[in-house]
Amino acid sequence: MAARGSAVCRLGSFAVKPGGRLFSQSQSVAAACTAEQLAEKIRAQKQQKTPKQEVPKDPVLRRVQELVQLTQQLQRVHPNVLAKALKQGILYQNKEIVVINKPYGLPVHGGPGVKICITDVLPILAKMLDGMNAKPLHLCHRLDKETTGVMVLARDQDTADRIHHFFRTRQVEKKYWAICIGEPESPDGLVNIPIMEKEVESHQSHFKMTVAPNYRVSHEDGKMFKIRQHRDAQKAVTRYRILSSASSCSLLELQPVTGVKHQLRVHLAYGLGCPILGDHKYSHWSKLAPQDLSICNVGGLLLF
């Protein structure tokens, strides 16, 4: 008896191939069933249409949905597609530099769970701008994955070195906008508190940056006294200004004078008591957990 799709004769509980080899019928049937089941599963997955997400009527929620979708798409696109998207977001360019608008959710460097990043597509972007013989562009600084904003790329190593020097010597003025929970007591000011990395000992043991102030307040009489600076503490200075506030949130303009790791997040959360909205790491000290804040509380703030 010929089997489907192959010249195989079956004898009893065994099948004989044209070459004369025997193999168990039960094994072949099991394999066939498995293959049929797999084929059906693949067909079902292809036929299954992903339900369309309902578009929110609220413009704030609609923008949030767009950003989330963009983040997911950027991790799945081909490098050429990402390079083209960065090219469309160019803000300025000349013979020395290219200034791009870094999208939300796109990492600058690779790492665990990162499928594609900006450094991966710099050679492709350079060729799109200057032809196939173009040299790769050079990163001059970095931004966090969740941060959007201006990024400067250099066309050659000498230019990149000069711009690196400008950043190191604080000749570049950087400003950030951040939505924070709560509102600082003063409408503007300077946070000058050293920062250091410390291990958090809890059920979720982890490391995070924290403030290491030079002064403390006595619990007995309420007087301020100076303490010895920790040897691992780094000087950290941040200027801030309230741009707008509504309900339980505020929009701050931040200007880092120094460049310590996670400086803005730490100064806002532990210096001013106003953590950045969505910052699960620095909203609490002893745990890593999302903030408990309804999106409706920031609706009026984003539409100013």
Side-chain angles (χ1 to χ4, degrees):
M1 176 179 176
R4 282 188 304 173
S6 61
V8 178
C9 296
R10 301 192 182 279
L11 299 175
S13 60
F14 292 90
V16 182
K17 286 188 175 180
R21 292 180 60 188
L22 299 178
F23 62 93
S24 170
Q25 180 182 5
S26 59
Q27 291 178 356
S28 65
V29 172
C33 291
T34 304
E36 287 179 4
Q37 291 172 357
L38 181 60
E40 289 176 4
K41 185 178 180 181
I42 293 174
R43 279 196 294 269
Q45 288 176 347
K46 287 183 177 180
Q47 292 173 358
Q48 217 175 25
K49 292 184 178 180
T50 305
K52 291 185 178 179
Q53 277 188 306
E54 185 178 349
V55 179
K57 295 181 180 179
D58 186 279
V60 177
L61 295 177
R62 189 163 59 245
R63 181 58 178 155
V64 171
Q65 185 186 82
E66 291 172 356
L67 289 173
V68 171
Q69 291 173 347
L70 175 62
T71 304
Q72 296 169 347
Q73 292 170 359
L74 287 175
Q75 286 297 303
R76 296 194 299 266
V77 299
H78 189 276
N80 290 350
V81 177
L82 178 56
K84 187 175 181 180
L86 294 179
K87 180 184 176 183
Q88 292 174 344
I90 288 178
L91 304 173
Y92 174 81
Q93 62 176 315
N94 59 21
K95 293 181 180 180
E96 295 182 317
I97 62 173
V98 177
V99 181
I100 63 172
N101 180 28
K102 190 191 88 64
Y104 170 84
L106 180 63
V108 175
H109 298 286
V114 176
K115 297 179 181 178
I116 192 169
C117 60
I118 289 180
T119 52
D120 292 337
V121 301
L122 289 183
I124 304 173
L125 178 60
K127 290 177 180 177
M128 287 182 176
L129 296 175
D130 301 322
M132 294 304 295
N133 296 324
K135 296 180 180 179
L137 295 166
H138 300 264
L139 285 173
C140 297
H141 61 107
R142 65 180 297 277
L143 292 175
D144 290 341
K145 176 184 175 183
E146 291 80 12
T147 301
T148 61
V150 175
M151 279 201 70
V152 181
L153 309 174
R155 293 184 184 272
D156 56 72
Q157 189 60 56
D158 290 339
T159 303
D161 291 340
R162 282 191 287 122
I163 296 176
H164 283 149
H165 174 72
F166 294 152
F167 276 100
R168 283 197 305 269
T169 55
R170 303 187 184 94
Q171 297 182 56
V172 177
E173 186 178 274
K174 295 182 287 185
K175 291 183 179 180
Y176 297 80
W177 284 8
I179 300 174
C180 305
I181 296 179
E183 183 178 337
E185 293 183 4
S186 176
D188 58 78
L190 185 76
V191 182
N192 186 358
I193 307 176
I195 291 176
M196 61 177 290
E197 191 170 32
K198 188 175 181 181
E199 183 177 7
V200 179
E201 298 178 356
S202 67
H203 66 288
Q204 291 177 300
S205 184
H206 60 283
F207 285 85
K208 65 171 60 173
M209 306 299 286
T210 186
V211 290
N214 294 325
Y215 293 86
R216 293 190 182 277
V217 177
S218 173
H219 294 293
E220 298 177 357
D221 54 13
K223 292 183 178 180
M224 186 178 295
F225 63 95
K226 189 172 183 178
I227 61 175
R228 190 174 183 179
Q229 184 172 334
H230 196 282
R231 62 181 181 181
D232 295 330
Q234 302 178 63
K235 183 179 181 180
V237 183
T238 302
R239 295 184 183 276
Y240 76 89
R241 180 167 66 97
I242 299 177
L243 298 178
S244 179
S245 61
S247 188
S248 60
C249 295
S250 57
L251 177 66
L252 303 185
E253 180 184 84
L254 308 169
Q255 185 176 352
V257 180
T258 56
V260 181
K261 176 183 176 182
H262 295 175
Q263 174 181 315
L264 299 181
R265 299 164 68 184
V266 173
H267 272 173
L268 288 173
Y270 303 144
L272 297 175
C274 303
I276 295 176
L277 180 66
D279 192 349
H280 73 283
K281 186 168 187 176
Y282 292 103
S283 293
H284 316 275
W285 169 250
S286 60
K287 60 182 180 179
L288 299 172
Q291 298 163 333
D292 185 15
L293 183 70
S294 173
I295 190 66
C296 64
N297 289 338
V298 298
L301 177 64
L302 297 177
L303 299 177
F304 76 103

